[in-house]
Amino acid sequence: MTALVAFTARSMRTARPRPFGASVIHTTSGAALLHALNNVAGESDPSAHAEVRAIRLAAKRLKRLSLAGYTLYTTCEPCPMCMGAALWSGVDRVVFGATIEDANRHCTQIQIPAAEVAARSDMHCIVDGPILRCECYALFTHPNMLKAFRRWSTRKRK
């Protein structure tokens, strides 16, 4: 998780900072397969969340649909779409940092906990978190990220 936070934090120095990062890690060896960032705006794709992108890239790299034997790490608790993708991919485990409630302070979220999505499926996946919550939430409160959130249109203005 520490490596993922560092990877994601590098985006804070760019014109498009992003607090949502994900890694696919071999469950047994701990070897990183890849890291990905949220790229909804860059791809004009509302499904281009970090977790979904990491799962897609990992499946392509491994040339298989199943990510059994791998763990998905994410800087924020997966939304239901991302948790669904994790379940369909067959990852062994999902480990998250900041919570959905943390993210919701800055951008809209579907507030169904990842563990609840997993519990309501007939696919097995361990959900662990929050892990390194303070470090992951610091991505959301970085000054450059706070400026970016003000530009995002996902928060309804009252």
Side-chain angles (χ1 to χ4, degrees), residues 75-77 96-105 129-130 133 140:
T75 58
C76 187
E77 184 174 3
F96 67 88
T99 66
I100 289 174
E101 293 81 13
D102 294 332
N104 190 244
R105 292 183 190 120
R133 182 178 182 182
F140 289 82

Side-chain angles (χ1 to χ4, degrees), residues 31-47:
L33 181 63
L34 57 84
H35 306 295
L37 293 172
N38 170 301
N39 201 24
V40 169
E43 295 178 20
S44 298
D45 178 356
S47 71

Side-chain angles (χ1 to χ4, degrees), residues 144-155:
N144 292 342
M145 194 64 242
L146 291 174
K147 287 179 196 171
F149 279 132
R150 287 192 289 274
R151 293 189 307 265
W152 289 12
S153 62
T154 63
R155 257 299 188 208

Side-chain angles (χ1 to χ4, degrees), residues 31-84:
L33 181 63
L34 57 84
H35 306 295
L37 293 172
N38 170 301
N39 201 24
V40 169
E43 295 178 20
S44 298
D45 178 356
S47 71
H49 290 199
E51 299 91 336
V52 171
R53 291 185 73 237
I55 290 165
R56 287 175 180 161
L57 292 167
K60 284 180 183 176
R61 183 167 293 171
L62 295 170
K63 294 180 173 42
R64 64 181 203 209
L65 296 176
S66 174
L67 296 183
Y70 287 86
T71 296
L72 178 67
Y73 285 81
T74 180
T75 58
C76 187
E77 184 174 3
C79 73
M81 174 184 70
C82 293
M83 192 60 214

Side-chain angles (χ1 to χ4, degrees), residues 24 27 55 66-72 83 85-94 124-126:
V24 176
T27 300
I55 290 165
S66 174
L67 296 183
Y70 287 86
T71 296
L72 178 67
M83 192 60 214
L87 290 166
W88 285 113
S89 76
V91 294
D92 300 337
R93 187 170 152 225
V94 171
H124 178 71
C125 180
I126 297 165

